[in-house]
Amino acid sequence: MREAILGIIGGSGIYDLPGLTNVREEQVTTPWGEPSDALRFGTLGSTQIVFLPRHGRGHKFSPSGINYRANIDALKRAGVTDLISFSACGSFKPELHPGLFVLVDQFVDRTIKRESSFFGNGCVAHVSMAHPIAPLLQARIGAAAKAENIDCKSGGTYVCMEGPQFSSYAESLTYRQLNYDVIGMTAMPEAKLAREAEMSYATIAMVTDYDCWHPEHDAVDVAAVVAVMQANASRAAQLLHRLVRDFPAYHEPCPIGSDRALDNAIMTTPAMRDPELLHKLEAVAGRILNKL
């Protein structure tokens, strides 16, 4: 059994994780480039934590400028087995109000400018994204939210737009008519890369606004979003502190196989594999490539 190490990716408004003890920082170099910031290692209770602010401290990286591959590779190198991602989002439904946490279980990828896979020419792989969220991890988050009386909804579809601009009114109405729940700019390709890296992954969508479809609310702007983000950040820390109270010491095998996603995913025959790409894949795919 592998020791459980919990990775936390902080979204907009979450650039630090209060309460960490035995803290140390390490700037991890990856073959995909530099991650958004130094990794912060520490413990909450008895759980080992690795924290990474997605946009970097000071929010220096835009959604399109984040090196998602470097972030996930660095967390994998740090031994992360379970990964929780926080993401500020707009809502398409009246009942999904600002301040609510939504434990989404599906994604729609509308990004166009981002590298979405570790694999490619020289080592082709296809992983399943039918069920992108690890159910045991999501259930633990939901239970922690309930125990802390944090307003939280389980289930929902997150549409990831390229950004950095907010939606047009026509886009907002279209996504609402398609019955999507929330919209953000960062869950993709993060969730895809976490699956390729065989991490159990869950996203907490923190609702900050109603996008621009709602007739009784102004169009979204940064000032309004920041005000809600500040409250969300304190609830996020409260949620994590409760989560780690009962977090298992050893990684729980994922019932949908997110931690074994590469078992039957590699298509390229050994003789045709690119040695340079294989070297870059050592951290995220070494478990399976070293067996083949």
Side-chain angles (χ1 to χ4, degrees), residues 73-96:
D73 182 282
L75 291 165
K76 182 71 173 184
R77 290 175 187 274
V80 168
T81 57
D82 301 83
L83 181 59
I84 297 174
S85 161
F86 287 92
S87 180
C89 293
S91 163
F92 294 122
K93 297 181 178 179
E95 65 272 22
L96 304 182

Side-chain angles (χ1 to χ4, degrees), residues 74-221:
L75 291 165
K76 182 71 173 184
R77 290 175 187 274
V80 168
T81 57
D82 301 83
L83 181 59
I84 297 174
S85 161
F86 287 92
S87 180
C89 293
S91 163
F92 294 122
K93 297 181 178 179
E95 65 272 22
L96 304 182
H97 55 81
L100 180 72
F101 286 4
V102 183
L103 306 184
V104 298
D105 53 16
Q106 286 294 328
F107 298 103
V108 174
D109 190 353
R110 299 290 295 165
T111 63
I112 57 174
K113 297 169 62 177
R114 309 175 189 185
E115 295 289 347
S116 63
S117 178
F118 291 109
F119 297 89
N121 295 343
C123 190
V124 177
H126 304 285
V127 300
S128 172
M129 288 297 293
H131 302 288
I133 297 298
L136 292 181
L137 183 57
Q138 184 185 58
R140 287 189 174 277
I141 297 168
K146 183 177 180 180
E148 291 296 308
N149 295 313
I150 294 172
D151 204 0
C152 182
K153 175 188 178 295
S154 290
T157 297
Y158 175 131
V159 57
C160 189
M161 65 187 296
E162 184 63 53
Q165 301 84 1
F166 295 121
S167 303
S168 72
Y169 183 60
E171 288 171 330
S172 194
L173 289 180
T174 298
Y175 295 143
R176 178 166 156 75
Q177 290 167 358
L178 289 169
N179 201 35
Y180 299 154
D181 293 278
V182 295
I183 185 167
M185 300 181 189
T186 54
M188 287 291 167
E190 188 176 271
K192 292 178 177 177
L193 295 167
R195 178 58 53 87
E196 289 187 345
E198 300 191 315
M199 295 177 182
S200 292
Y201 177 89
T203 296
I204 302 173
M206 304 179 297
V207 178
T208 59
D209 57 84
Y210 282 114
D211 205 49
C212 62
W213 64 269
H214 202 302
E216 298 176 8
H217 290 264
D218 293 334
V220 59
D221 61 36

Side-chain angles (χ1 to χ4, degrees), residues 35-70:
S36 297
D37 211 316
L39 300 184
R40 297 197 74 201
F41 295 80
T43 56
L44 278 178
S46 59
T47 302
Q48 295 187 64
I49 303 290
V50 184
F51 176 78
L52 176 65
R54 184 188 289 112
H55 296 278
R57 280 169 283 194
H59 205 107
K60 62 183 177 180
F61 292 111
S62 76
S64 301
I66 294 166
N67 190 335
Y68 294 92
R69 292 193 295 186

